[in-house]
Amino acid sequence: MMPEAKPVSKKGLFIKAGVLGAVVLVAAVLVLWGVDLKALLVQGMAVIGNAGPWVFFTAMALLPAVGCPLLAFALPAGPAFSGQLGLGGVLAAYGAAIAVNLALTYWLASHALRPWVERLVAHLGYKIPQFAKDEHVEVTLLLRITPGPPFFLQSYLLGLGKVSFVTYMWVSWSVAMVYGVGFVIFGDAIIHGKALMATTGVSLLIAAGIIVHLVRKHYGKGRV
């Protein structure tokens, strides 16, 4: 049985637009007050860099399991650690942290916190999915690329639905890395003023969006 995903509501879109508008407004006010946002950003990167890659990527492996967005780690990862690890090393560490997070979230959903997670999912208005074994790849892919539940909640839904762990890992990790590589490269390029690399990062994100659109079109509307 395919999962039922709630469509993105107008209320949800208004909330996201409001949050984005608030961020822009705060940034504008700070600039008018003479605050050097670039200097603050550089200082923030320095703080993250001084904490060290082990602390940063350990936090990345753990915190998204309780709702912290992956984007909060993807954008600063390159600027903070490409000097120490190289961009390839940053992407490798990013991929390893994603893998640990996925395994942790699956274990929490399917074993340790299953009763609590079931109540949380019901409270958020989602139904516990029931997946046929021959649909594990399809449902995992579609849930990962369909707008709606955030990344951590997708993981809990798949764990609760007892999707094959191997399928869950390789599909989820692949989708997360497609976007992650683009955001890591983009974040590193913006901080270091690398226009060509920034363009590469944006191009990867656009390509990922096109691939997602084609995959969803292939499976057809109304399947999720």
Side-chain angles (χ1 to χ4, degrees), residues 63-172:
L63 295 182
V66 292
C68 184
L70 287 175
L71 190 60
F73 294 95
L75 289 176
F81 301 111
S82 60
Q84 301 177 48
L85 306 176
L87 190 57
V90 170
L91 292 174
Y94 185 90
I98 288 289
V100 172
N101 174 261
L102 288 170
L104 172 63
T105 312
Y106 185 92
W107 176 74
L108 289 173
S110 60
H111 295 89
L113 300 178
R114 187 177 181 89
W116 182 85
V117 173
E118 288 177 335
R119 289 195 294 272
L120 172 63
V121 171
H123 176 73
L124 292 175
Y126 296 97
K127 294 183 178 180
I128 303 299
Q130 298 296 320
F131 303 138
K133 188 173 182 180
D134 61 351
E135 295 177 333
H136 284 188
V137 172
E138 183 178 339
V139 296
T140 303
L141 178 60
L142 289 175
L143 187 57
R144 289 302 187 190
I145 66 175
T146 299
F151 188 81
F152 84 102
L153 187 54
Q154 294 171 7
S155 298
Y156 285 131
L157 288 170
L158 292 168
L160 288 169
K162 297 183 178 180
V163 166
S164 163
F165 178 71
V166 173
T167 298
Y168 162 88
M169 284 295 293
W170 77 259
V171 175
S172 300

